[in-house]
Amino acid sequence: MLAMEYRGPKRVRAVQKPMPEIKHPQDAIVRVLRTCICGSDLHLYNGNVPDTRVGSTFGHEFVGEVVEIGTDVTKLKVGDRVIVPFNISCGECHFCRQGMFGNCHESNTEATAVGGIFGYSHTAGGFNGGQAEYCRVPYANVGPTIIPEGMDLDDAVLLTDVVPTGYQAAEMAGIQKNDTVVVFGAGPIGIMAARCAWLFGAGRVIIIDQEDYRLEFARNYSYCEAYNFNEIGDPVLFIKKITDWLGADCVIDAVGAEAAGNLLQTITGRKLLLQAGSATALHWAINSVKKGGVVSIVGVYGPTDNLVPIGNMMNKGLTMRGNQTSVKRLLPRLIEHVQNGVLNPKGLITHRIPLEEVADGYRMFSAKLDNCIKTVMMPPTANQ
Amino acid sequence: MENHNVINTPIDPKQIKGWGIDADPKNDPTYPMRARMNISQDPDFKHRPEALQPVETEVLRSIERPNVSAVFGTPEPPSGLSGIIRRFAFHFSENQYPHWLPLLLADRVNVVEGVVDDLVHGHVPNIFAEKGYKAEWKHSPQTLVLKMAAFTAVTAGTILWLSSGNKKKKPVKRSRF
C-alpha cells in the first residue's frame, strides 16, 4: 500500500509499505478515505519530538472504511465508514473511565503522560498513522464512530481532531458569559477555538498571529477580532491596553512548540532544541491573562527537556488547563453541531492533494505557502 | 529545639474549618474535572483490558509503568546505533534528561542510518522532492533561491576555512618591551 514515510527533519516521501495487520482482537483495519496534515504533525516533521523514527508514517486525522476486524470487535462491521479519533483509548483504564480518553494508560508503552496517538512518534505509542491507504485501528470498539448518514467526508475528517480540539480549548478556558477571550495562533485549531468560544458565551474574541492571510481567514470564519503581532508591538501590553489594563478573562495557547515572535526562544527552543520548543505563546498567554483568569493550552510542547515540564503538564491535563483532546467524549455533541449547521468544519479546508504529493503538502503547510490553512489528502484507493 | 524539617504527622483534613466547602462538582470549571476520581475511590484502578497484544518484537517500555501497555505500535523496532542509544535512554524515567536527550540524539543518528539504508538498497534519496521543494519553487521561488544561495555560501565558506587550516601559519612576531 502507499503510505507517507518520514526520512528525517523536513524530509518525507510516499512509498510502498506492507499492509497493516490485525495484532490484537480489538483491532480493525481501515481503508483511509480522507486524511489531513495537522499543525501538530509539523513538530514531528521538524524533528522536535523525541523518538520519531525514520520509516514512520504520520497522520492522526483520518476517516475511512472498515475492511477487516479482529475477533473481539462487536461495534463495527466490515463496510462501516468511521470517524477515527486521533487518540487511541482502551475505554477501561482508570483514566478512560473518567472521560480522559486522551490519557489512556493502555495504549502507550513508552511514555506515561500521554496516551497512544496515531502516527505521532514512539513517544505516543509507536503507531503508524493514517497518511496511508490503510491503517491499523486498535480498540475499534471504543474510539471509531460511524459517520452519520449524509455527513460530508470533509466535515467528518475534521471531527477527528480540529473541531474537538478547538472546542475543548474553549471549554477548558472556563469561559463565562461575556468574557473576553484571546487566542494565540490562527492555525486551524486556533481558528476553531475562536469559533467555539462563542458557543460558550464569550463576549469578545481576539486572535493573534503573524500571518495576515490567516488573520483574514479567522476574521471571516470565526467572527473575531484579529491582530498581527508584528504590528501591535508587545502583544501582552496590547491586550492589557484593550482590556482596560486588566488582561483577558481567558487565554488559549493554540500554538505550542513552533511559536515565532521571540528570537531567544526561537534559537534555544526551535533551532537548537535546548528546551521543549519555543514557549513564546505560553509566555504571552500567562502574562496577558487577568489575575485569576484561565489559561487553556492545546498547543503541543515537547517532553521533559525543558526548564519546566510544560509538555507533561499539557499532556497530563493538569491545571492551568491543558490536555490532549478527548475526542470520543466530545464527538456526539459536535456531530450534533455540524448536523445543525452550528459548525462548518470543511470551511477550513483550503487545499486538496493526492497522497503521492505528501512532501509538497507538508512543505506548503509548514512554509505557509499559497495561503494554506488546512490540507486534505486523498489516497489513491479512496475512490474505489 | 524542635526540628521542623521533617515529615509532619498527617492530620485529618476534615478537622480543618471550611474543608471541602467548595467541593461541589458543579463548581469545578469544566470536564474532566467534574469526573475527577482519586485512586483510593476507584476499587478497580488496576483494571486492564482482557486481551493483551503479544510482544513479538522489541518494544521499549517506560520504567514508569510496570508492564507493556495492552496495545502498542510496532512499526520501527530499535536497530543499529540509534537502537543502542534508544535502549540506553529507556534505562531512565521520563523525568530525567538522560531519557529525552539521548532519544533526540538517536533520532539524528537514525536519519543518517536511513540514508545509508537507502543507498544499500540501491535507492538514492531524492532530497529535493522529499523536502517538498517543488511546491516551494512553485509558490515562493525567491525563498528557495535565497535558501540555496545561503546553503552554497555556507558550504563554500566552510570548505575554504577548512582548507586554509592546512597551510603553515607564519610565526607571529612578538614585540618585547
Side-chain angles (χ1 to χ4, degrees):
Chain A
M1 66 159 186
L2 192 72
M4 169 271 185
E5 185 180 70
Y6 173 74
R7 299 307 300 176
K10 296 184 190 294
R11 275 181 58 214
V12 299
R13 65 192 183 197
V15 296
Q16 289 295 325
K17 294 181 94 171
M19 280 286 288
E21 295 170 5
I22 301 276
K23 305 244 180 208
H24 180 268
Q26 269 200 61
D27 282 356
I29 305 296
V30 166
R31 177 167 68 89
V32 177
L33 300 173
R34 296 279 190 286
T35 180
C36 298
I37 303 174
C38 178
S40 308
D41 287 329
L42 299 184
H43 306 315
L44 301 169
Y45 178 68
N46 291 329
N48 291 349
V49 179
D51 217 350
T52 302
R53 299 181 191 171
V54 167
S56 304
T57 294
F58 300 168
H60 56 271
E61 297 180 353
F62 64 98
V63 293
E65 183 179 300
V66 178
V67 293
E68 191 181 350
I69 52 173
T71 50
D72 286 357
V73 176
T74 54
K75 296 193 175 165
L76 295 179
K77 60 183 187 306
V78 170
D80 283 343
R81 291 188 159 198
V82 287
I83 296 167
V84 183
F86 75 84
N87 359 73
I88 299 168
S89 321
C90 73
E92 299 179 50
C93 71
H94 179 73
F95 303 106
C96 282
R97 282 185 287 129
Q98 293 183 73
M100 298 175 75
F101 297 100
N103 304 85
C104 175
H105 210 55
E106 290 293 351
S107 58
N108 183 3
T109 284
E110 301 196 11
T112 55
V114 64
I117 299 175
F118 290 100
Y120 212 75
S121 85
H122 276 68
T123 298
F127 296 92
N128 270 332
Q131 289 171 7
E133 289 182 299
Y134 295 87
C135 186
R136 172 195 169 206
V137 176
Y139 297 129
N141 284 336
V142 183
T145 301
I146 293 175
I147 299 173
E149 193 73 32
M151 179 177 276
D152 192 316
L153 287 177
D154 288 344
D155 279 329
V157 74
L158 294 187
L159 283 168
T160 61
D161 183 352
V162 178
V163 181
T165 300
Y167 186 89
Q168 185 168 308
E171 184 193 50
M172 289 191 300
I175 298 166
Q176 305 293 306
K177 277 191 177 168
N178 297 315
D179 271 356
T180 294
V181 181
V182 171
V183 181
F184 285 108
I189 300 292
I191 291 170
M192 187 54 72
R195 178 72 186 81
C196 289
W198 298 113
L199 303 183
F200 290 90
R204 187 178 183 188
V205 182
I206 298 160
I207 198 163
I208 310 279
D209 198 276
Q210 69 166 345
E211 298 291 337
D212 285 330
Y213 80 89
R214 302 211 304 187
L215 293 166
E216 189 57 30
F217 194 98
R219 270 189 207 104
N220 295 327
Y221 187 90
S222 308
Y223 322 120
C224 59
E225 298 169 51
Y227 298 100
N228 188 323
F229 66 72
N230 291 320
E231 293 168 6
I232 57 176
D234 180 347
V236 171
L237 185 65
F238 176 80
I239 290 164
K240 290 280 173 65
K241 199 172 168 182
I242 63 172
T243 54
D244 290 330
W245 302 102
L246 294 178
D249 296 294
C250 322
V251 178
I252 295 168
D253 172 0
V255 180
E258 303 290 331
N262 181 300
L263 185 63
L264 187 65
Q265 289 280 348
T266 300
I267 292 171
T268 59
R270 292 170 62 194
K271 303 299 180 191
L272 301 178
L273 299 180
L274 293 175
Q275 55 173 335
S278 158
T280 307
L282 187 60
H283 278 252
W284 288 350
I286 291 167
N287 292 331
S288 61
V289 75
K290 75 176 186 185
K291 289 173 222 176
V294 181
V295 173
S296 165
I297 307 171
V298 287
V300 174
Y301 291 89
T304 305
D305 56 318
N306 200 351
L307 295 178
V308 176
I310 196 70
N312 283 359
M313 190 238 113
M314 181 270 184
N315 279 324
K316 294 174 75 170
L318 311 181
T319 54
M320 296 177 292
R321 299 309 307 278
N323 209 346
Q324 295 286 355
T325 310
S326 290
V327 178
K328 179 183 163 61
R329 175 177 65 81
L330 298 168
L331 265 184
R333 180 69 175 154
L334 293 174
I335 286 173
E336 208 174 286
H337 281 332
V338 173
Q339 288 180 319
N340 293 336
V342 173
L343 292 174
N344 168 31
K346 69 181 174 193
L348 283 174
I349 297 170
T350 53
H351 289 73
R352 290 164 200 283
I353 62 165
L355 181 62
E356 296 91 315
E357 296 175 17
V358 62
D360 291 336
Y362 267 89
R363 173 63 63 174
M364 286 180 66
F365 187 42
S366 166
K368 301 178 180 69
L369 301 172
D370 196 32
N371 291 349
C372 182
I373 298 282
K374 190 70 181 173
T375 301
V376 168
M377 291 191 291
M378 299 276 290
T381 44
N383 292 323
Q384 281 176 6
Chain B
M1 187 179 168
E2 193 182 354
N3 181 5
H4 291 282
N5 194 23
V6 294
I7 297 170
N8 292 303
T9 308
I11 61 166
D12 181 2
K14 290 178 186 164
Q15 303 304 314
I16 300 170
K17 191 179 176 187
W19 178 80
I21 197 168
D22 290 328
D24 181 349
K26 288 177 186 165
N27 292 336
D28 271 340
T30 49
Y31 207 95
M33 299 294 280
R34 285 193 200 114
R36 184 168 52 200
M37 177 168 59
N38 297 328
I39 294 288
S40 57
Q41 293 172 303
D42 181 1
D44 200 16
F45 71 95
K46 285 187 177 174
H47 180 88
R48 304 200 73 199
E50 269 184 28
L52 306 178
Q53 182 177 335
V55 181
E56 294 165 337
T57 184
E58 182 179 2
V59 178
L60 299 175
R61 173 178 64 81
S62 168
I63 62 168
E64 290 188 26
R65 55 177 307 129
N67 42 41
V68 174
S69 55
V71 303
F72 48 86
T74 55
E76 306 297 332
S79 63
L81 178 60
S82 64
I84 293 170
I85 301 170
R86 291 191 213 284
R87 289 182 198 109
F88 168 79
F90 277 85
H91 287 103
F92 301 90
S93 88
E94 296 162 61
N95 187 46
Q96 301 288 327
Y97 283 96
H99 178 71
W100 297 111
L101 297 181
L103 285 178
L104 282 168
L105 173 67
D107 288 351
R108 300 299 170 263
V109 172
N110 197 195
V111 172
V112 178
E113 290 172 336
V115 174
V116 172
D117 188 56
D118 266 349
L119 295 174
V120 164
H121 287 90
H123 175 80
V124 180
N126 183 345
I127 304 290
F128 188 87
E130 289 176 359
K131 282 186 168 283
Y133 282 148
K134 194 179 83 179
E136 187 143 359
W137 178 248
K138 185 177 174 188
H139 297 291
S140 185
Q142 66 281 13
T143 310
L144 186 59
V145 169
L146 275 173
K147 275 182 194 169
M148 293 303 163
F151 177 77
T152 309
V154 169
T155 309
T158 307
I159 291 169
L160 281 172
W161 180 67
L162 288 174
S163 57
S164 68
N166 294 332
K167 294 173 187 170
K168 275 191 174 179
K169 287 178 182 173
K170 287 181 182 176
V172 180
K173 283 186 180 176
R174 292 188 176 180
S175 58
R176 291 182 180 178
F177 55 94

